[in-house]
Amino acid sequence: MSFLGGRSNANTGSVNYDKIDMAVTELDTVTDFFNRMVSSCYNKCIGAKYPADGDLNKGESVCIDKCVAKYNDVQKKVGEKLQSRGAAAPAQNQSAFGSL
Amino acid sequence: MDFSSFNSAEQAHMTKIIEKKQMQDFLKLYANITEKCFITCCNDFTSKALSSKEESCVANCAEKFIKHSERVGARFAEANADQAGGSQ
């Protein structure tokens, strides 16, 4: 249909901002989760001890692998717990902002 | 995260947002490493300047943290891939 040749705007379609919002929220959630995991596993496995050199030794490497696995597990368990509580008791007094 | 249902305008929008977040994330990482390595390495305040011991400590600490972050990222990606593969 474009007899002018080429397209003046490479972006076709309109932007659904609700979809974008949800995607951004998910992105923020995952980024936050990852950053907390990095921080927590650093504190547990490496901590504030004086670094001998710039590499991870074997103990630290193994610790990190296990730490990541456990952190993921904890997240899953907490999610299940929150879901089961949410299903059992509908949110009556849960919100800090009160209700309308 | 599944962006396949996004049209090209939305994908372009998301790409800009992601680029901005990546830059902010990098700046946060910078501040984080600075704080952690300061706490680990700098405990003697009889002098204003960093001693060579403190300097090498900071260099090692920063490198170690970056390697740690990379390793966590690799394990995290593996776990995500496993989960995505398992649920499909």
Side-chain angles (χ1 to χ4, degrees), chain B residues 2 5-6 9-11 14-15 20 23 25 27 33-35 37 41 43-44 50 55-58 65 73 76 83 85:
Chain B
D2 177 23
S5 64
F6 282 39
E10 289 166 341
Q11 281 191 349
M14 276 312 292
T15 302
K20 182 173 172 208
M23 192 192 67
D25 218 41
L27 295 172
I33 296 181
T34 301
E35 188 181 20
C37 294
C41 298
N43 296 307
D44 174 21
L50 284 177
E55 255 189 68
S56 64
C57 174
V58 165
F65 190 95
F76 179 64
Q83 206 184 42

Side-chain angles (χ1 to χ4, degrees), chain A residues 5-10:
Chain A
R7 285 181 288 178
S8 54
N9 181 8

Side-chain angles (χ1 to χ4, degrees), chain A residues 12-14 16 19 26 28 33-35 37-39 42 48-51 53-55 60-61 64-65 72, chain B residues 1 5 7-10 13 17 21 25 36 40 53 57 60 64-65 67-68 71-73 75-76 79:
Chain A
T12 52
S14 59
N16 177 350
K19 210 160 58 162
E26 192 187 346
D28 280 340
F33 172 74
F34 177 77
N35 287 334
M37 186 165 62
V38 168
S39 206
Y42 182 83
K49 61 180 190 274
Y50 195 93
D53 58 23
D55 281 316
E60 289 164 347
S61 299
I64 290 167
D65 293 348
N72 279 325
Chain B
M1 276 170 294
S5 64
N7 65 38
S8 63
E10 289 166 341
H13 194 102
I17 291 177
K21 284 190 188 290
D25 218 41
K36 283 186 156 53
T40 301
K53 185 177 179 211
C57 174
N60 286 338
K64 196 172 258 235
F65 190 95
K67 292 209 168 111
H68 160 77
R71 194 179 181 100
V72 172
R75 293 292 101 84
F76 179 64

Side-chain angles (χ1 to χ4, degrees), chain A residues 91-100:
Chain A
Q92 298 166 351
N93 309 312
Q94 307 232 346
S95 170
F97 300 104
S99 53
L100 294 167

